[in-house]
Amino acid sequence: MTDAAMDPISAVAPRLGGRASSSQRWSNLMFVHWRVEAALVAPLLPEGLVPDEIDGTSWVGLIPFVLDRATVFGSPPIPYFGSFVEVNVRLYAVDANGHRGVVFVSLEASRLAAVLAARALFSIPYMWSRTRLEVATGDYRYTSRRHLAAGAHTDIVVRPTTRPVVGDPLADFLTARWALFTRTRGRTVHLRNHHEPWELFQAELVSLDDTLLAMAGFPGLAGRAPESVLYSPGVTTWFGAAG
């Protein structure tokens, strides 16, 4: 595969090309990323995918945020079950057609119904956890404790700044992702999404106590300073059909 064959990295999402199947609001997102060798990422990807790289390496992201106002096939926002704090560990991949997307190693969420639905419909590895967000004096503290697996947890504090991030190739590589990949029913599928361009700001990682990265296959990573920390107030996202 050559770079010419790959989807371009663009802060502007391509159109879905059909009716949206669902939508969600993502708010108060923290993009915390570490540079890792592609050889560490490759074994964790679904069949048919290779690591996506920039400047010779791939990346691992720890992404906490608030998900709410979830809708399905034009329904009104789903109360309670469609609103929760999520923390995910994600990787970056490319398929044989040059399509880019994210691969989720794990996603922590506090709504069991949402966890079961995502796992059943698309084999997305949601985990039932006790998740919270606390905001105090400008710091955002996200915590998660996985039910039935007490060792799986994260406690992350991030402090956003007012310094905008615009036209940064690395920031676009890490955040301008218009699809996810998942392995379901014996095949790797490409599920597209669409939203307005991210409004991004520089942020500071204040503290991190985390085992999710190690459990995902990256021992020691949480003890290393991340190479990129970004904040976004959020977007509303629409999802297309799996392809």
Side-chain angles (χ1 to χ4, degrees):
M1 186 187 304
T2 66
D3 287 347
M6 295 168 64
D7 291 342
I9 295 291
S10 172
V12 178
R15 295 186 178 276
L16 287 179
R19 182 186 175 193
S21 60
S22 60
S23 68
Q24 300 170 352
R25 175 72 185 177
W26 299 339
S27 302
N28 294 326
L29 297 98
M30 307 298 170
F31 298 94
V32 185
H33 280 93
W34 291 261
R35 187 186 295 273
V36 295
E37 293 300 319
L40 297 177
V41 171
L44 305 176
L45 301 178
E47 183 178 337
L49 303 179
V50 297
D52 200 358
E53 300 180 53
I54 185 171
D55 298 331
T57 62
S58 199
W59 292 74
V60 177
L62 181 66
I63 321 292
F65 65 101
V66 177
L67 186 155
D68 67 355
R69 300 178 228 175
T71 70
V72 179
F73 297 113
S75 71
I78 301 169
Y80 184 73
F81 295 110
S83 177
F84 50 86
V85 168
E86 178 179 314
V87 183
N88 64 60
V89 177
R90 75 185 198 185
L91 311 174
Y92 300 91
V94 188
D95 69 11
N97 296 314
H99 297 315
R100 288 182 149 110
V102 301
V103 173
F104 293 107
V105 183
S106 63
L107 309 92
E108 315 297 310
S110 58
R111 300 292 186 255
L112 180 57
V115 168
L116 295 176
R119 295 181 74 94
L121 292 174
F122 295 110
S123 299
I124 298 175
Y126 268 95
M127 306 293 178
W128 186 34
S129 304
R130 185 171 65 254
T131 59
R132 293 186 62 187
L133 167 62
E134 301 174 44
V135 183
T137 62
D139 289 350
Y140 289 70
R141 181 185 182 188
Y142 288 86
T143 57
S144 176
R145 298 289 185 277
R146 193 177 297 174
H147 295 295
L148 307 179
H153 70 268
T154 195
D155 187 330
I156 178 170
V157 180
V158 179
R159 182 179 301 145
T161 75
T162 57
R163 299 190 296 273
V165 177
V166 180
D168 183 317
L170 177 58
D172 288 343
F173 177 90
L174 297 173
T175 65
R177 293 286 161 163
W178 311 119
L180 68 84
F181 293 109
T182 185
R183 185 79 178 171
T184 183
R185 298 175 180 85
R187 67 188 186 103
T188 300
V189 299
H190 183 249
L191 181 61
R192 293 180 55 198
N193 68 73
H194 176 95
H195 58 72
E196 294 301 311
W198 291 108
E199 184 181 12
L200 294 171
F201 298 88
Q202 294 179 26
E204 173 192 356
L205 179 63
V206 177
S207 64
L208 177 62
D209 175 9
D210 175 86
T211 63
L212 301 181
L213 292 166
M215 295 181 76
F218 302 95
L221 201 61
R224 207 180 87 194
E227 281 86 358
S228 175
V229 185
L230 302 169
Y231 165 77
S232 178
V235 294
T236 297
T237 305
W238 290 268
F239 293 91

